[in-house]
């Protein structure tokens, strides 16, 4: 008989039938804990990106469905609304790129008088929105975004 226990789960294995009955809840707890670690790691990557890159005002990591996974946004921005718009921007941009036969879209840039909103794909499971003020150097910004995506991609796969 094997006994695996901690404060959240107890797994007692004394027969093959008992093993099967006990393994499902234990796997659910392990998967849940992995997800929580990844979300906190994603939040940390975004926080470091925003605070460590000049002229960046915020960032959000969003699911393709438009749900916020992690974000560091200005207080006046609604996280849910921003997440939904980011996913919609990337989806529409990819469709436009396809219709105009421009190939794979690297990024979508919205430029306004107060700055930029840049949306990039982080693979099939996430979209990164970056908000930058008008003084940002675009070349450096795009380089920093690529570095951030390289850190984020392994955490969401």
């Amino acid at each position: 008989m094997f006994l695996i226990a901690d404060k959240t789960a107890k797994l007692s294995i004394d027969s093959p039938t008992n093993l099967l009955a006990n393994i499902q809840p234990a796997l659910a707890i392990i998967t849940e804990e992995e997800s929580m670690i990844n979300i906190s790691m994603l939040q940390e990557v975004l926080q470091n990106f925003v605070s460590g890159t000049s002229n960046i005002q915020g960032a959000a990591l969003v699911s393709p469905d438009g749900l916020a996974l992690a974000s560091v946004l200005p207080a006046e921005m609604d996280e849910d609304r921003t997440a939904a718009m980011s996913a919609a921007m990337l989806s529409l941009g990819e469709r436009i790129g396809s219709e105009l036969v421009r190939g794979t879209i690297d990024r979508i840039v919205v430029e306004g008088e107060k700055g930029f909103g840049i949306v990039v794909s982080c693979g099939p499971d996430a979209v990164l929105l970056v908000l930058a003020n008008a003084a940002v150097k675009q070349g450096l910004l795009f380089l920093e975004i690529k570095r951030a995506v390289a850190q984020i991609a392994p955490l969401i796969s």
Side-chain angles (χ1 to χ4, degrees):
M1 177 175 169
F2 295 96
L3 181 63
I4 301 170
D6 69 10
K7 63 182 177 182
T8 58
K10 181 178 179 182
L11 178 60
S12 174
I13 305 167
D14 54 10
S15 71
T17 308
N18 196 9
L19 169 65
L20 202 50
N22 285 303
I23 206 159
Q24 206 65 333
L27 284 175
I29 291 168
I30 291 167
T31 303
E32 183 179 320
E33 286 178 4
E34 262 184 34
S35 295
M36 290 189 319
I37 291 169
N38 285 344
I39 295 298
S40 66
M41 291 171 76
L42 289 170
Q43 188 70 33
E44 184 178 332
V45 168
L46 287 184
Q47 183 64 49
N48 291 339
F49 172 67
V50 171
S51 62
T53 310
S54 61
N55 298 313
I56 299 292
Q57 298 166 316
L61 192 64
V62 178
S63 75
D65 298 337
L67 301 172
L69 301 174
S71 69
V72 179
L73 293 170
E76 67 273 6
M77 294 190 78
D78 180 281
E79 181 184 59
D80 293 332
R81 188 174 181 168
T82 302
M85 286 188 295
S86 300
M89 279 175 50
L90 186 64
S91 177
L92 184 57
E94 287 175 340
R95 187 167 174 195
I96 290 168
S98 175
E99 291 294 323
L100 298 177
V101 195
R102 298 296 95 193
T104 304
I105 301 298
D106 289 329
R107 65 185 149 264
I108 298 167
V109 179
V110 176
E111 182 177 356
E113 63 187 38
K114 294 181 180 180
F116 301 89
I118 299 102
V119 177
V120 296
S121 175
C122 290
D125 298 324
V127 175
L128 177 65
L129 167 70
V130 177
L131 303 172
N133 67 31
V136 73
K137 305 271 190 242
Q138 290 183 41
L140 291 174
L141 175 63
F142 296 151
L143 178 64
E144 291 300 325
I145 290 172
K146 281 186 180 183
R147 288 181 182 164
V149 169
Q151 288 180 327
I152 291 167
L155 298 175
I156 58 175
S157 57

